[in-house]
Every structure is written in C-alpha cells, then in structure tokens.
Amino acid sequence: MSLRRPLLAAAFLTAALLPGAPGAAEPGVEAMVGHRAAYRLTLDRARDNSDIARAEGVMLYEVVDACDGWATRQRFQLTLTDRDGTDVETTSDYSTYETKDGRSIRFSLTQTSQGAVSQRVAGDAEVTPEGGTVRYTEPSTKQEALPGGTLLPMLHTIRTLAAARANQRLLVVPLFDGTSADGAQDTTTVLQAWQPPQANERFPALASLGSARMRVAFFDRTPSATGGGASAPDYEVGLRYYENGVADELKMEFGEFSVDGRMQELAVLPNPC
C-alpha cells in the first residue's frame, strides 16, 4: 500500500483568484512560523468491504525558517491491522527545502513497508510562470515538465490561508510537492469560513490566531487535464490551519479507510533571521 504524505507543509481556482506569481514579496510569508509538532494517528473509519480493522501511528513534522527558504521534514509511521489480526507497518521520511520566492525546491521521500523500502523519490524542481521542470534522481533519472500555475508546498499553504481570509471558498491549482515520481498533481481545495481567535488551553501559542478548516483533494493529471474534479481523487486530506501555518487537526482519506491526526505536542521555533 502506498500512503501519500498528509498535506501539512502544503499548503489553489487559479492564479486569477489569488493574484501574484511566485516571487520574493509573496504576501503572508512573514506570518508563517518554524515549528515542531507531533501527531497521534488513529482509525477514523473503514469501508464496509475493507479488510482494515485498526490503524494507529504517529507523525512528526518540522518546518525551519532558513531565512531564504523553508526546510521541512516529516516522519510518518502507521500500523494497519486486518480482520485476521495481521499487522502491516508503513513508514515514510520526507524532507524538502523550498525557497521563499516559491521558485525552487529540493525533495526526498523514502517509504518502507514491513521494514523494506517500497518507494524512493528524490530530485529538485524549478518553477516558472509557464510551469517549470522537475529533475528526478530517484526512482530513475528523468525530467518532467510542470504545468503553468504550479505551486510548491509552502507557497500553496500561504495562498490557501490568504484565500480563506479573503472569504474565498474554492481554489484549484496544480501542486508539486515531491511525493510522486509523475510530476505535479491537480488539487481542489474547499475552504470553510475564517474563524476568529479562540481560547486554547492545550496550545496557548495558537490562542491569539485565526484559523480555517479546509479539504484538499489530489487528482492525477492526464494529458488533457485542465484542473481537479474531473474524476475521483487519488487522495484527500482535511485539516484546520492556523494563520501561522500550524495545523492541529487532520483527516487523511486513503480510499478504503481514513485516519484522524490530532496534534499532541507543539514547539514554536525562534526566528533566526
């Protein structure tokens, strides 16, 4: 089983909805914070015809403000138990370095199943107004063209939060995050209303911040693809993002089952810049 990474450092209608191509003065960059967060993963539901009886695991996520870019790392471990009581453990280790102008990214993903490597993806990408290019070194050496309007993960997050604050309800844009060996995917994001700050005894650092809930669907691109929504999504994730880029609640849809992720620990990192 291949589990796509949950969209955390990901951050969506097209660039016409949110003006501004990737650039050094991208609004919202200054609001994002470096942080470390730990999440507990549990089974939300399984389809009636699914063999999944239980799911539990952990996810550790870190984003570091490196002044001219964002360095992220996400480690994910999930154990699935079938109805016969057999356990299957899947892990992933995913890291990126994305420049703050949203124009380049280095990425690396290693997934294992039962201790054996099941997938490796690595390389770098450059984004231009016309699209850009991905250069893979794993699983094989090759290049892929990116479609026009492609966003990288942190810029995707920034644009999404800006859309929520502007009372937008729908965004559609290609996203490249380095988790697939097939280039960019189309994404469709449905945004709920922006929420004002609320009391937060568990995580006081979030108490003064607004937030928005959203649901992001990923679609595999085809040669005639013009945007997400034409077919069933490959993967979906629901989350609540705070205005500083911290997500405290996740719901990951993997098709035959879904997993809840709840933040258990949060450390906001000092800004070194």
Side-chain angles (χ1 to χ4, degrees):
M1 177 179 297
S2 176
L3 302 182
R4 288 186 56 87
R5 64 175 281 264
L7 186 70
L8 275 181
F12 298 13
L13 242 71
T14 57
L17 246 181
L18 287 173
E26 184 69 35
V29 169
E30 67 282 354
M32 307 297 283
V33 298
H35 63 279
R36 294 189 187 98
Y39 300 81
R40 179 171 179 256
L41 308 177
T42 57
L43 182 66
D44 171 53
R45 65 167 181 82
R47 289 184 178 175
D48 292 341
N49 60 350
S50 171
D51 194 38
I52 302 298
R54 184 179 179 184
E56 61 179 17
V58 295
M59 184 172 69
L60 305 176
Y61 177 73
E62 178 182 75
V63 57
V64 175
D65 188 340
C67 300
D68 63 347
W70 303 102
T72 72
R73 186 176 184 188
Q74 180 174 285
R75 286 163 288 176
F76 180 87
Q77 179 273 322
L78 186 69
T79 299
L80 300 177
T81 305
D82 66 19
R83 299 189 186 279
D84 294 327
T86 302
D87 292 338
V88 176
E89 182 182 77
T90 298
T91 69
S92 70
D93 192 341
Y94 167 76
S95 60
T96 66
Y97 185 87
E98 177 182 336
T99 56
K100 285 187 177 178
D101 60 11
R103 292 178 178 171
S104 67
I105 188 172
R106 297 192 304 269
F107 55 90
S108 175
L109 170 69
T110 300
Q111 287 189 334
T112 68
S113 180
Q114 297 295 80
V117 174
S118 57
Q119 183 183 28
R120 281 198 178 101
V121 182
D124 63 83
E126 298 285 340
V127 176
T128 67
E130 294 76 25
T133 303
V134 184
R135 294 171 292 272
Y136 288 100
T137 58
E138 296 278 358
S140 62
T141 301
K142 66 173 184 176
Q143 290 192 7
E144 292 280 347
L146 295 173
T150 295
L151 294 183
L152 300 178
M154 285 298 289
L155 184 53
H156 195 266
T157 298
I158 291 165
R159 294 279 182 91
T160 302
L161 289 167
R165 297 191 74 163
N167 295 316
Q168 304 288 353
R169 291 293 177 264
L170 182 69
L171 297 113
V172 178
V173 75
L175 169 68
F176 179 76
D177 60 10
T179 63
S180 169
D182 298 318
Q185 285 194 298
D186 287 322
T187 61
T188 297
T189 301
V190 177
L191 300 154
Q192 296 186 19
W194 186 259
Q195 297 298 310
Q198 301 176 11
N200 195 323
E201 294 183 2
R202 292 196 63 200
F203 304 109
L206 303 178
S208 63
L209 304 177
S211 63
R213 295 184 183 275
M214 59 194 71
R215 188 173 186 87
V216 189
F218 293 78
F219 300 85
D220 289 333
R221 291 184 60 82
T222 64
S224 60
T226 57
S231 60
D234 177 55
Y235 168 73
E236 292 183 83
V237 60
L239 26 57
R240 176 168 62 182
Y241 261 132
Y242 286 84
E243 61 189 79
N244 63 354
V246 174
D248 69 334
E249 297 178 5
L250 311 167
K251 182 169 290 188
M252 294 162 275
E253 298 278 354
F254 294 111
E256 61 179 302
F257 69 99
S258 61
V259 171
D260 274 331
R262 301 284 174 164
M263 188 165 67
Q264 304 297 302
E265 300 177 15
L266 173 65
V268 176
L269 305 178
N271 186 339
C273 311

